Amino acid sequence: MRRYLRRIIQSLSALFLNGYWYFPISRTIYQGQLKSICSPGLNCHSCPAAITACPLGAIQNFMAGIRASVEAARYHFGFYVLGWLGIIGGLVGRMPCGWICPFGLIQDLLFKIPGRKIRIPDIFSYGPYIFLALTIFILPIWVVDAFGYGFLWFCKFICPAGTLEAGLPLLILQPTLYGMVGHLFYIKVAVLFFFFTWSVLASRPFCRTVCPLGAFYSFFNRASLFQLKYHPEKCTHCELCYQDCPVDIKFYESPNDIRCIRCLVCLRESCAFGAISWEMGGIEGQSSRPKTSLVNSQLSLVKKTQLPDLTNDQ
Amino acid sequence: MRKGPFIIIGVFLLLCLMGTVTGEVRYVLEKAVSICLDCIGIG
Ligand code: SF4
Ligand code: SF4
Ligand code: SF4
């Protein structure tokens, strides 16, 4: 149960955020008041089952309409969505990526498919910040049509969640949309296919190389109320946390790294030496508890030369 | 206890409230209840 807790919570949130199961009968998307709230993870609001708004879609809409809103003296700058995401980030940092985001869950499940696995080079970790700056803020504000409205660059040209959760199901539900399908749709299907394939080979490639929402949350990891704590005196540098980490972080070198999705695998499953614990607003949480049988089996796996001398205390 | 996180949460809470009083909640709802052709790749 403990081992599957995260998967259960991820699945329940995906089901909850996509809880409008009446769509096969209504043949359209949910249009109720809950859509004024943004989901904490990437979940397309044009998905027929989605009951919340997508934060990235909402911010782009604000940025694309910023000129028109100023001209009309409405002054809509997206503070509501940015504030909401900032509150989540301030509380738990990137934890929605590890526990709530439906597109994170999809990538996790694809990575479970057995086969050869590859690592993602560190250089790609700049990608999300470039996509955040360019496709969410700069281009939607800068490039506008004759009426002063910008485009939703991330949704339009990249977002594989939109293609998967909205594009494909809506084409099935509303066949009249087929007439509007053009090159752009096929490009987006290719992008989706590319990330699906990459997700089988590498862990969380979209999160680590593209996702602007993860990039936004990452700014809060080191300053959030929730923090992971490292206890160097207990660490044996066995590297089990590194081997299990879905985003290839060496916890013992960089606790609360900006790439950490707060999945807590290192704390709950990997570390058998009590070298990792958590803290929230001054309340100390449980440390990764030493498990005698696990310690013994792990010790036998680790080269003795890497370990501090634990037997010579006196 | 670290004060930083509380300041951050307070600042973003204020931002969220500012957006709420200027009618941004309604704007989010308006956009999210209509099918976005950009999102589905045919816009
Ligand atoms: S980084 Fe990944 S898990 Fe986080 S919001 Fe983006 S897609 Fe979801
Ligand atoms: S460092 Fe730990 S909590 Fe962070 S992503 Fe890696 S395994 Fe998960
Ligand atoms: S699993 Fe624990 S003991 Fe091993 S390297 Fe990571 S933090 Fe250190």
Side-chain angles (χ1 to χ4, degrees):
Chain A
M1 175 69 185
R2 186 180 157 86
R3 208 169 148 221
Y4 296 109
L5 180 69
R6 189 166 74 94
R7 210 57 89 218
I8 293 168
I9 292 177
Q10 280 178 303
S11 309
L12 289 177
S13 359
L15 285 175
F16 175 73
L17 294 171
N18 296 290
Y20 179 63
W21 300 328
Y22 187 62
F23 73 86
I25 296 157
S26 73
R27 302 189 87 76
T28 188
I29 64 174
Y30 167 76
Q31 290 171 329
Q33 293 295 321
L34 283 174
K35 276 223 167 144
S36 52
I37 302 167
C38 286
S39 105
L42 185 64
N43 195 57
C44 188
H45 49 220
S46 290
C47 168
I51 60 162
T52 53
C54 168
L56 289 182
I59 298 173
Q60 284 172 92
N61 270 311
F62 280 115
M63 296 305 129
I66 223 162
R67 294 181 193 213
S69 106
V70 171
E71 275 165 24
R74 279 198 309 267
Y75 306 108
H76 286 167
F77 299 122
F79 289 162
Y80 164 59
V81 184
L82 293 170
W84 166 241
L85 295 179
I87 294 168
I88 298 172
L91 284 169
V92 292
R94 256 187 109 160
M95 199 175 269
C97 294
W99 293 77
I100 291 176
C101 178
F103 206 68
L105 170 66
I106 292 168
Q107 291 170 84
D108 282 349
L109 296 177
L110 287 170
F111 190 61
K112 290 270 170 215
I113 298 173
R116 193 172 156 256
K117 303 293 174 188
I118 53 174
R119 282 203 188 275
I120 297 175
D122 281 347
I123 184 85
F124 284 105
S125 57
Y126 295 107
Y129 302 98
I130 296 168
F131 282 105
L132 174 66
L134 280 180
T135 65
I136 306 297
F137 292 102
I138 297 173
L139 291 172
I141 296 175
W142 197 16
V143 184
V144 291
D145 62 14
F147 305 101
Y149 283 95
F151 306 99
L152 313 191
W153 287 75
F154 182 75
C155 299
K156 196 179 178 84
F157 298 107
I158 301 163
C159 187
T163 314
L164 175 73
E165 298 169 2
L168 296 171
L170 280 171
L171 280 183
I172 297 167
L173 287 176
Q174 301 189 4
T176 48
L177 290 173
Y178 269 114
M180 299 166 78
V181 166
H183 294 308
L184 189 58
F185 181 75
Y186 296 113
I187 292 170
K188 284 198 71 184
V189 171
V191 170
L192 173 67
F193 182 74
F194 171 76
F195 279 108
F196 268 19
T197 314
W198 200 2
S199 300
V200 176
L201 297 169
S203 173
R204 297 259 185 156
F206 178 75
C207 303
R208 295 162 70 184
T209 65
V210 175
C211 185
L213 184 55
F216 183 86
Y217 283 138
S218 76
F219 294 125
F220 298 89
N221 260 8
R222 293 210 166 107
S224 64
L225 208 55
F226 180 92
Q227 289 290 300
L228 283 169
K229 291 178 81 179
Y230 174 53
H231 306 280
E233 72 287 355
K234 295 181 185 165
C235 179
T236 60
H237 293 276
C238 65
E239 295 204 335
L240 282 165
C241 52
Y242 174 50
Q243 284 166 28
D244 291 346
C245 178
V247 289
D248 295 336
I249 291 168
K250 292 183 175 171
F251 183 86
Y252 46 91
E253 283 178 3
S254 181
N256 300 297
D257 191 285
I258 55 169
R259 294 165 299 159
C260 172
I261 57 169
R262 300 265 161 95
C263 66
L264 311 185
V265 167
C266 54
L267 167 80
R268 299 173 69 251
E269 294 171 30
S270 313
C271 184
F273 301 93
I276 306 172
S277 68
W278 62 270
E279 183 243 303
M280 183 138 184
I283 299 164
E284 298 280 335
Q286 226 174 23
S287 69
S288 48
R289 260 171 302 162
K291 309 163 191 96
T292 323
S293 56
L294 240 177
V295 171
N296 289 339
S297 64
Q298 288 185 354
L299 283 177
S300 64
L301 287 172
V302 179
K303 281 188 205 142
K304 284 215 164 63
T305 49
Q306 287 182 313
L307 297 171
D309 190 355
L310 299 169
T311 52
N312 202 6
D313 273 355
Q314 56 281 53
Chain B
M1 202 200 303
R2 294 175 309 127
K3 288 198 190 89
F6 293 101
I7 295 169
I8 290 171
I9 294 165
V11 168
F12 280 96
L13 188 67
L14 211 68
L15 213 61
C16 193
L17 290 174
M18 275 168 65
T20 307
V21 295
T22 54
E24 291 188 1
V25 180
R26 174 119 223 111
Y27 187 76
V28 169
L29 179 67
E30 268 167 29
K31 293 290 175 187
V33 294
S34 46
I35 294 175
C36 159
L37 295 181
D38 283 332
C39 302
I40 64 179
I42 57 179

